[in-house]
Amino acid sequence: VGTVITTDVTDATGDYGFAGLLADDYTVRIDTSTLPADTTTQTGDRDATLDDETTITLAGGDDITTADFGYQPLGSIGDTVYSDVDGDGVQDAGEPGLSGVTVELLDAVGTVIATDTTDASGVYGFTGLAAGDYTVRVDASTLPAGVTQTDDRDATLDDETDITLAAGEDIADADFGYEPPVPSSIGDAVWADVDGDGVQEAGERGIPGVTVELLDGTGAVISTDVTDGAGLYSFTGLTAGTYTVRVDTS
């Protein structure tokens, strides 16, 4: 009728046993809440049901010593997404992690089975993993604009890395490095083109006090500058992209 009639706790070698049993039908069941945290779904039992229990018909005088249960240890994959300031493919001292980056875990057939977001230190991780083939992929849309990948575990530099995880293995070197963009600049002069030939020649002076606007690819004004005494203006610290420079003719 499914009533628990006795319990036992496995010893240091994993052995358990129930003695003094009469001929009858019995079920041996594992209390899964007592399994180690680093185990996965069941891999074996006597009746091959893989439901954490096995049913046994005991005849008089039987000693059943094959009522075993197998559980595979779990592993983990993780490390850091970081800013590779010097672009050497190694996270050196002082090179910070990139926070808020989405990292995906894919199974052997390419299905995303888990995601994680890097913390303030750029750290991510996936735990409770069975042995198998995985791909760790960075969602490039969540990276800072303009970065260039310099490092990953399999050296493919394609925002992902393939990993074969053994039972119970902890992979802690699946990192991704990205070099920040080298800042660019745009600028020159607004000048009085006395002869109207489109070339600033000797004696044609710059026009000071002219407002110049910088627009991004969407047409939004993102910065302004005013020409100096020589008619010069400049916009610095720019990432790669399409810009428009416009003179405020007023």
Side-chain angles (χ1 to χ4, degrees):
V1 294
T3 302
V4 176
I5 57 175
T6 186
T7 62
D8 193 22
V9 177
T10 57
D11 64 16
T13 62
D15 289 338
Y16 74 94
F18 304 107
L21 303 178
L22 300 175
D24 205 342
D25 294 327
Y26 296 93
T27 297
V28 181
R29 182 173 64 195
I30 298 291
D31 179 353
T32 56
S33 69
T34 63
L35 288 169
D38 61 349
T39 56
T40 185
T41 54
Q42 189 179 0
T43 59
D45 64 19
R46 188 172 184 268
D47 59 9
T49 55
L50 301 185
D51 55 1
D52 302 305
E53 62 183 42
T54 187
T55 301
I56 297 171
T57 298
L58 192 66
D62 272 355
D63 292 310
I64 302 296
T65 59
T66 58
D68 52 6
F69 296 85
Y71 293 88
Q72 187 181 47
L74 297 177
S76 64
I77 296 172
D79 201 5
T80 307
V81 181
Y82 65 94
S83 180
D84 188 11
V85 177
D86 60 6
D88 66 353
V90 178
Q91 187 177 17
D92 303 307
E95 292 185 326
L98 295 174
S99 63
V101 177
T102 298
V103 185
E104 302 169 323
L105 182 68
L106 291 73
D107 63 15
V109 298
T111 301
V112 176
I113 57 174
T115 62
D116 194 21
T117 301
T118 57
D119 65 15
S121 300
V123 175
Y124 76 92
F126 302 103
T127 60
L129 303 179
D133 294 325
Y134 296 92
T135 297
V136 180
R137 182 172 67 194
V138 171
D139 180 350
S141 70
T142 64
L143 289 167
V147 297
T148 302
Q149 188 177 7
T150 60
D151 177 32
D152 65 21
R153 188 173 186 264
D154 60 8
T156 55
L157 301 185
D158 56 359
D159 299 309
E160 63 183 45
T161 188
D162 296 323
I163 294 174
T164 297
L165 191 69
E169 186 177 13
D170 294 311
I171 300 292
D173 62 351
D175 53 3
F176 296 86
Y178 293 89
E179 184 176 11
V182 177
S184 300
S185 64
I186 297 172
D188 201 2
V190 179
W191 87 94
D193 189 10
V194 176
D195 59 7
D197 66 353
V199 178
Q200 186 177 16
E201 298 165 325
E204 293 181 330
R205 294 178 297 176
I207 304 174
V210 177
T211 297
V212 184
E213 301 170 325
L214 182 68
L215 291 74
D216 65 14
T218 69
V221 176
I222 58 174
S223 185
T224 62
D225 193 20
V226 178
T227 57
D228 64 14
L232 300 177
Y233 73 92
S234 179
F235 301 104
T236 61
L238 304 179
T239 59
T242 300
Y243 298 90
T244 298
V245 179
R246 182 171 67 192
V247 172
D248 180 352
T249 58
S250 66

